[in-house]
Amino acid sequence: MSIKRLLLLTLLFFFQLKSNAQQQVSLEDFGLSFTLPAGWTGDIQGDYIVLGHTSIPGMMILSENSNRTIEAVVSMAQQGIQADGFNLTADGTFKTVSSKRAEGFYKGTYDYSTAVKAYAIGLIDGQGKGMSILVLTETNAFANDHINAANQLAKSVQFFTPKASPATLQWQNQLVGKKLTHRYTSGGAGGSSVTRIITLCANGTFTFYANTHANLDGPGGFGYANSNQDSRGNYTIYSIQNNSYLTLHFENGKESEYTLTRDENGYTFLESSRYAVMDTEDCD
């Protein structure tokens, strides 16, 4: 799970809070914590977290930074930003503050026409985990308030050794080493059936089997369609606050993610589909 994906999920919870209070975000499962500055709230736009303020013009953008060295951070920053409506070039040389932090300024345009100035901070932990912070506004509106807000957020960022949260441990205890089975059948001559089986092994690997069978009965005649999927990979169980997820990382590079919930009767659901959880010898 990348920090980019993690931040996108996290901010779904925290950016709905329209208040002037600081919001602490602590994610034990991923070894990351930070505090949103007072008055800054926002939403998700593509691969970015975009924040706005009630009285400070402009926006602050958070994104993933996976560089392992601060030299790589500076080298990339000096190349500027030319994507998603931004055309920014480095305004001077980016400065290495420490082995874990670099900062500097940009100038250019946003939305292809608006002249803007920006301040950027790149943070890394040296192990491939990091965060980039970019705050920008129209050139004549840029002020110390923008720099202070970005620095306040940056100073709050902490990277630490991941530790499974209590919610994650509960799901791991229930699902690891088990076979999760979902079956659905619709009746009638034109009925169909769906079977999905996910086996989660203790070594972090999974196998996935899916079968869809549909009977075709209409003016054109009778027939059937059948499809199978059999694959494997690695999985992750993690939590954000009290919300937990299962992510399947397939060998072909694809990824599937399911929200994990239980109903009042204790039944397990992956998204909206109910799964039976059973012991298995398939991992032995």
Side-chain angles (χ1 to χ4, degrees):
M1 169 64 59
S2 69
I3 288 185
K4 180 186 295 183
R5 173 64 174 160
L6 174 61
L7 289 175
L8 294 179
L9 289 169
T10 302
L11 274 299
L12 284 173
F13 298 101
F14 286 90
F15 287 171
Q16 304 304 317
L17 302 173
K18 305 297 183 181
S19 72
N20 290 321
Q22 292 183 332
Q23 299 297 331
Q24 173 70 36
V25 181
S26 183
L27 302 162
E28 295 180 66
D29 289 40
F30 298 91
L32 171 68
S33 69
F34 59 92
T35 301
L36 303 182
W40 288 88
T41 58
D43 208 343
I44 298 165
Q45 295 186 18
D47 290 336
Y48 309 102
I49 309 303
V50 181
L51 304 175
H53 194 274
T54 54
S55 60
I56 299 174
M59 56 184 166
M60 193 185 317
I61 303 171
L62 312 182
S63 61
E64 180 187 17
N65 178 356
S66 58
N67 290 298
R68 290 180 175 270
T69 68
I70 205 63
E71 291 79 13
V73 173
V74 170
S75 177
M76 182 174 291
Q78 289 294 149
Q79 296 174 26
I81 303 173
Q82 290 83 35
D84 301 311
F86 293 97
N87 185 11
L88 305 178
T89 57
D91 189 5
T93 302
F94 271 71
K95 179 175 64 174
T96 299
V97 178
S98 70
S99 62
K100 303 294 177 64
R101 172 174 169 153
E103 61 186 42
F105 293 89
Y106 289 110
K107 61 182 179 181
T109 60
Y110 172 66
D111 200 21
Y112 307 104
S113 59
T114 303
V116 297
K117 181 174 181 177
Y119 173 62
I121 301 172
L123 303 173
I124 60 172
D125 70 346
Q127 305 298 319
K129 184 163 55 178
M131 180 190 293
S132 294
I133 303 167
L134 179 75
V135 61
L136 77 158
T137 189
E138 294 184 22
T139 302
N140 59 4
F142 192 87
N144 285 333
D145 286 343
H146 299 90
I147 297 174
N148 293 338
N151 279 315
Q152 184 180 346
L153 194 151
K155 289 178 181 178
S156 74
V157 174
Q158 294 185 20
F159 303 110
F160 50 87
T161 303
K163 177 184 177 182
S165 64
T168 297
L169 288 173
Q170 286 185 348
W171 281 108
Q172 288 176 341
N173 290 336
Q174 180 183 348
L175 302 182
V176 173
K178 304 292 185 179
K179 178 181 291 186
L180 286 58
T181 303
H182 167 76
R183 287 191 172 90
Y184 170 79
T185 301
S186 63
S192 63
S193 65
V194 175
T195 299
R196 289 192 294 270
I197 301 174
I198 304 171
T199 303
L200 303 178
C201 298
N203 64 359
T205 64
F206 74 88
T207 58
F208 179 91
Y209 170 79
N211 173 268
T212 301
H213 179 90
N215 294 318
L216 308 175
D217 187 12
F222 177 81
Y224 69 91
N226 194 67
S227 66
N228 289 289
Q229 180 182 353
D230 193 357
S231 52
R232 60 187 65 245
N234 298 302
Y235 70 90
T236 305
I237 298 174
Y238 70 98
S239 302
I240 299 174
Q241 297 302 94
N242 293 321
N243 300 274
S244 298
Y245 305 87
L246 168 66
T247 305
L248 304 181
H249 312 276
F250 290 89
E251 288 181 338
N252 62 6
K254 293 184 178 181
E255 186 175 283
S256 295
E257 186 161 84
Y258 305 89
T259 302
L260 298 172
T261 57
R262 298 186 191 90
D263 66 9
E264 63 275 9
N265 297 314
Y267 292 117
T268 297
F269 287 78
L270 277 60
E271 296 300 332
S272 59
S273 298
R274 176 176 158 182
Y275 281 73
V277 179
M278 300 171 287
D279 292 331
T280 180
E281 297 180 355
D282 293 348
C283 294
D284 296 340

